[in-house]
């Protein structure tokens, strides 16, 4: 967010980022029954991640315009021709839309205020690449009844520092962790 000291400019910056990732991998799974109800299971795998990273920034700007005239100068004609023209233009604007073109008449001053709003969007070039990853997982399964069990598992995804440095720098993640709790239906 940016504020100019005299409050005539105000900018709010909203960055947005998207990461599209398509992973291709292979792995080996295991299941180790502990007893009739409990089973430990896991997987160790790896592969490649094809990604595209998109960035944009949306800027919302407000500029405040304020014009002041001494009311006596308006009545007595003490304004320049340009000031009279501006006064007439803003008087007409105020008459047509008083909410947008505000008129204050404090302390023998006529003050017109207008807030101009605009939005600007900037896009960065897409970044694309391929990363190599390893992904182990481990979990526990509890058999509730025949064909229905509860699973709790952890999966880690670690991206290796292999390949071009510029690709590694454009990919914003070093690792991911996923914890899952779910029901498994077997038939």
């Amino acid at each position: 967010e940016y504020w100019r000291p005299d409050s005539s400019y105000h900018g709010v910056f909203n960055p947005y980022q998207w990461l599209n990732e398509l992973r291709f991998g292979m792995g080996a799974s295991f299941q180790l029954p502990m007893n009739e109800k409990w089973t430990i299971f896991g997987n160790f795998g790896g592969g490649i991640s094809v990604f595209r990273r998109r960035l944009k920034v949306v800027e919302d700007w407000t500029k405040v315009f304020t014009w002041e005239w001494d009311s006596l100068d308006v009545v007595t004609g003490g304004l320049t021709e340009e000031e009279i023209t501006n006064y007439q233009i803003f008087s007409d604007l105020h008459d047509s839309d008083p909410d947008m073109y505000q008129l204050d008449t404090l302390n023998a001053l006529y003050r017109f205020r207008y807030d101009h709003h605009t939005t600007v969007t900037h896009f960065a070039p897409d970044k694309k690449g391929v990363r190599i990853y390893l992904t182990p997982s481990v979990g526990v399964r509890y058999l509730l009844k025949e064909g229905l069990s509860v699973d709790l598992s952890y999966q880690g995804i670690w991206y290796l520092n292999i390949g071009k440095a510029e690709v590694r720098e454009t990919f914003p993640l070093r690792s991911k962790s996923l914890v899952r709790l779910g029901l498994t239906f077997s038939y």
Side-chain angles (χ1 to χ4, degrees):
E1 193 166 358
Y2 170 76
W3 284 92
R4 188 174 154 145
D6 65 2
S7 298
S8 64
Y9 284 105
H10 177 222
V12 177
F13 305 93
N14 296 303
Y16 298 92
Q17 176 173 216
W18 298 268
L19 179 65
N20 302 104
E21 181 181 20
L22 185 58
R23 291 193 312 257
F24 300 96
M26 292 176 47
S29 298
F30 70 90
Q31 288 193 21
L32 180 60
M34 302 304 286
N35 58 36
E36 292 180 9
K37 295 277 187 182
W38 292 93
T39 301
I40 295 175
F41 63 93
N43 182 323
F44 186 79
I48 62 170
S49 168
V50 180
F51 73 90
R52 181 173 72 164
R53 182 180 182 189
R54 301 174 65 205
L55 301 167
K56 80 173 182 178
V57 174
V58 178
E59 300 178 11
D60 293 309
W61 285 97
T62 300
K63 167 94 170 106
V64 178
F65 295 93
T66 304
W67 291 271
E68 292 182 354
W69 294 273
D70 187 312
S71 60
L72 292 175
D73 287 343
V74 172
V75 174
T76 62
L79 300 176
T80 66
E81 190 173 319
E82 181 182 356
E83 290 173 328
I84 291 170
T85 303
N86 288 340
Y87 176 76
Q88 291 170 343
I89 289 170
F90 286 105
S91 292
D92 293 342
L93 289 171
H94 171 71
D95 291 342
S96 65
D97 191 353
D99 291 331
M100 180 163 293
Y101 302 95
Q102 302 165 14
L103 172 63
D104 297 328
T105 56
L106 300 174
N107 301 326
L109 284 177
Y110 291 158
R111 175 183 289 161
F112 285 98
R113 178 186 164 134
Y114 169 66
D115 296 348
H116 175 71
H117 303 283
T118 190
T119 299
V120 179
T121 303
H122 302 279
F123 291 95
D126 288 355
K127 304 292 184 181
K128 300 176 184 178
V130 176
R131 294 292 308 267
I132 298 173
Y133 69 90
L134 296 176
T135 179
S137 66
V138 65
V140 62
R141 179 172 295 132
Y142 179 75
L143 182 64
L144 295 172
K145 65 178 190 173
E146 186 64 36
L148 179 64
S149 50
V150 175
D151 295 355
L152 177 63
S153 66
Y154 167 80
Q155 178 184 11
I157 301 173
W158 288 280
Y159 297 94
L160 304 178
N161 283 328
I162 298 173
K164 296 179 183 178
E166 61 267 12
V167 173
R168 289 193 316 262
E169 291 171 4
T170 60
F171 190 74
L173 303 174
R174 292 187 182 144
S175 64
K176 297 180 192 178
S177 292
L178 296 94
V179 177
R180 294 185 177 116
L181 176 64
L183 293 174
T184 301
F185 300 95
S186 302
Y187 53 93

